[in-house]
Amino acid sequence: MSEELDTVEPRAVAAADYSEDDIRTLDWKEHIRRRPGMYIGKLGDGTNSDDGIYVLLKEVLDNAIDEYMMGFGKQIDVTIEDGSVVVRDYGRGVPLGKVVDVASKMNTGGKYDSKAFKKSVGLNGVGIKAVNALSVFFEIESVRDGELKRAVFSMGELKEESPVVPTDRPNGTLVRFTPDASIFREYLYRDEFIEPLLKNYTFLNTGLTIIYNGRRFFSRHGLLDLLRENMTKEPLYPIIHLKGQDIEVAITHANQYGEEYYSFVNGQHTTQGGTHLSAFKEAVSRTLKDFFGRNFEYSDIRNGIIAAVAVKVEEPVFESQTKTKLGSRDMGPEGPTVAKFIGDFIKKELDNYLHRNLEVADIILKKVQESERDRKAMAGITKKAREKAKQVNLHNKKLLDCRVHLNDAKGDDALKLASSIFITEGDSAAGSITKIRNVATQAVFSLRGKPLNTFGVTQKVLYENDEFNLLQAALNIEEGIDGLRYNNVIIATDADVDGMHIRLLMITFFLQFFPDLIKKGHVYVLQTPLFRVRNKKTSKRSGSRGKALQDDTVYCYSDEERIAAINRFGANAEITRFKGLGEISPEEFRNFIGPDMRVDRVTLRKEDAVAELLEFYMGKNTMERQTFIIDNLVVEDDKDIAL
């Protein structure tokens, strides 16, 4: 791997001039536009839930939510159309004399004083300015007590500022923005990511109504509703729902592997957890252990757990501007530590609940004992499997790693979010990706042949299988996804029957043993082109290089795109059918795993009825499945492809 690392010639650096003229001070908007990753994490085009356009939406929504949390305004209107966003709250409205400042002066806001915003998400006065700087159009209106103030910006530059005028509109703030398409290339807001975001806001703020493009989101039961919405397996016992001052939790177990958590701070979904989630997991484990009076392992207590925790913290400290991980140790300047606050609450309330509901306690005990038996039965197997995985990965026989990982303690957030691992079939595909990958953020794991069908198998079989044992070790998920090393797990197989089969086998593995990996949006399928359509006339003019000009080469991912390309080039169209990733040259592959990489996210929802789907497609070979395959068989005609 060392030969792939970027190197810099020391003498060349020493020879470069370095003077006062090289020192520059960027103004706030230029700094944000040059270094957007520092403020919103990754960029993207909207195909992933953590892409920057959703962070922009969140930054505006967070301000509206903070108003509701302070007791002002029970409804938020969100409209997204043609790439433009409008968020209107009915809170107090920004003080009219500060409308321009809050949108364009860094470190300006009303949340530094905890009397005005006691437990807010945004405390640094940065978020709304990032939205402004990264938008080609940004408008903010504030209504307070019959008066309105309006300002319009473009890429952070003030373009229009209206005087204060009378109005009959209700109090509140309206923000309208259009993200800059030169930064968020060909972006598109997708409901599949927006709706869960808005639902989470309502789960965490019972009584709040959010109207999104005419659709109403509302929750009466908070985190209880959240778990019901997200669980894909039936709970073993009724969900335990506990609420207190500045804390709410929901807990149950299901017959599934691993642990599944949803954690929040001041309404912010902390997808990477933090001090509050660590304290919650510790407190639940210790309370259950003490209640049963047995020396259970914490991992056995938590196996199969599905839980949510939401806390409100004064002046929260997050580990990045994207606020996905809480770093605060204390509940506030004069409050207890996060660990003590959560620990005391869980010890009292969960213990009381179990004493009042002994039938639930009995179900939990049986689940823990079952997990303990399974773990002990596998102890020797897992030890040998992990040692083997360690040795294999040390010698890079399966994994070609990258430099930056999601679980790195420090580093650039944008790079950590870009960290990816391609799961490829065979040496040829792995070789193509390896030669042109980004060694900082892209790793490669090479499969050997078709992996095992894991439907219905036990963890014992999983550890005894080399492919899956080594893969879960490479991902660092054997004990849950908290230590996941790559933000994006990308299945990269051929677009033929064998490739599709391998893809299904891999998805089955994740669904069976690591469903949370899919629920948290980490698993993707790489789209690779089926055809290359080239202009033969231009190709010949391009000389001995034998390559067409870039504008005259079209990579097609469907028959519709192929036909459009053929129509574009007419009689000069030259069509190449790609049947395997190994047939695509490394230089061509550069286009397919770079910034414009096409991927399909693998999703898992309650309504998907995954258990039934897996039983039908991956279970025993029944007559019903054979009939289904025959009835839906499509034979590809090579003559049609070669037009």
Side-chain angles (χ1 to χ4, degrees), residues 464-533:
E464 290 173 340
N465 179 269
D466 280 350
E467 295 295 303
F468 287 125
N469 174 43
L470 298 176
L471 177 58
Q472 65 180 1
L475 296 174
N476 194 35
I477 56 175
E478 299 127 304
E479 298 179 0
I481 70 168
D482 285 352
L484 179 66
R485 301 180 75 233
Y486 312 95
N487 190 44
N488 309 300
V489 180
I490 303 171
I491 302 169
T493 62
D494 291 341
D496 58 11
V497 174
D498 285 338
M500 294 293 183
H501 190 200
I502 293 172
R503 183 183 302 177
L504 289 175
L505 292 169
M506 292 305 306
I507 292 174
T508 300
F509 161 68
F510 290 124
L511 286 171
Q512 286 285 96
F513 294 98
F514 302 100
D516 203 23
L517 202 64
I518 293 177
K519 287 185 179 181
K520 295 295 176 66
H522 293 294
V523 181
Y524 298 86
V525 173
L526 177 68
Q527 290 187 33
T528 50
L530 298 172
F531 311 95
R532 179 184 62 211
V533 181

Side-chain angles (χ1 to χ4, degrees), residues 64-356:
I65 295 296
D66 285 338
E67 280 294 302
Y68 174 80
M69 290 175 63
M70 293 301 296
F72 300 94
K74 294 184 178 181
Q75 179 174 314
I76 299 172
D77 299 331
V78 181
T79 304
I80 300 180
E81 187 176 2
D82 298 329
S84 293
V85 178
V86 182
V87 176
R88 171 62 152 104
D89 70 47
Y90 298 89
R92 292 165 292 184
V94 176
L96 302 186
K98 294 293 184 179
V99 168
V100 173
D101 288 356
V102 299
S104 61
K105 288 188 178 180
M106 292 296 280
N107 306 317
T108 299
K111 302 174 187 177
Y112 299 106
D113 180 359
S114 63
K115 294 177 182 177
F117 287 89
K118 186 179 179 184
K119 297 179 175 73
S120 169
V121 171
L123 291 172
N124 299 320
V126 174
I128 197 74
K129 287 79 171 176
V131 181
N132 187 354
L134 298 173
S135 298
V136 291
F137 178 86
F138 179 93
E139 176 185 18
I140 181 169
E141 288 183 353
S142 177
V143 177
R144 285 174 71 98
D145 303 324
E147 294 185 316
L148 180 148
K149 173 75 174 181
R150 174 176 177 267
V152 177
F153 300 80
S154 179
M155 295 179 282
E157 292 280 356
L158 180 63
K159 297 297 182 181
E160 181 183 344
E161 179 182 359
S162 71
V164 175
V165 296
T167 182
D168 57 0
R169 298 182 195 174
N171 282 358
T173 304
L174 179 147
V175 173
R176 178 183 288 109
F177 66 93
T178 304
D180 188 344
S182 69
I183 294 175
F184 308 99
R185 287 169 295 186
E186 298 181 0
Y187 71 89
L188 178 67
Y189 279 102
R190 290 168 168 80
D191 284 355
E192 63 187 286
F193 302 131
I194 294 172
E195 291 187 3
L197 172 68
L198 301 183
K199 286 179 181 178
N200 281 346
Y201 278 122
T202 61
F203 295 146
L204 295 163
N205 299 278
T206 53
L208 171 68
T209 296
I210 297 180
I211 307 295
Y212 169 55
N213 285 0
R215 298 193 293 279
R216 180 176 181 268
F217 298 92
F218 180 85
S219 170
R220 294 186 184 278
H221 306 293
L223 294 187
L224 182 64
D225 290 337
L226 183 146
L227 284 199
R228 287 171 175 167
E229 173 79 17
N230 288 281
M231 288 183 65
T232 53
K233 291 199 173 182
E234 289 299 312
L236 295 177
Y237 52 88
I239 297 171
I240 301 170
H241 188 207
L242 307 172
K243 298 180 71 173
Q245 183 69 35
D246 293 335
I247 186 170
E248 179 182 0
V249 303
I251 307 165
T252 191
H253 282 78
N255 281 323
Q256 66 182 42
Y257 291 104
E259 306 170 31
E260 184 176 334
Y261 299 102
Y262 303 87
S263 66
F264 304 85
V265 174
N266 297 5
Q268 169 67 33
H269 190 184
T270 44
T271 54
Q272 295 185 46
T275 52
H276 61 313
L277 181 57
S278 298
F280 173 72
K281 291 162 67 174
E282 167 77 18
V284 169
S285 303
R286 186 174 61 249
T287 299
L288 289 174
K289 182 177 179 178
D290 291 345
F291 178 85
F292 294 126
R294 310 231 188 144
N295 192 29
F296 287 130
E297 294 281 341
Y298 282 2
S299 60
D300 296 330
I301 292 173
R302 298 199 300 249
N303 184 43
I305 195 172
I306 304 168
V309 55
V311 295
K312 294 180 181 178
V313 177
E314 285 191 42
E315 301 181 10
V317 176
F318 296 97
E319 294 195 0
S320 70
Q321 174 60 22
T322 53
K323 308 182 186 85
T324 55
K325 187 173 184 179
L326 181 69
S328 297
R329 299 292 173 185
D330 301 314
M331 293 295 292
E334 299 178 1
T337 65
V338 170
K340 178 172 174 48
F341 174 77
I342 295 176
D344 289 349
F345 175 81
I346 294 294
K347 179 177 177 57
K348 177 184 176 182
E349 299 299 331
L350 181 57
D351 186 75
N352 287 344
Y353 179 93
L354 294 172
H355 276 98
R356 293 193 304 266

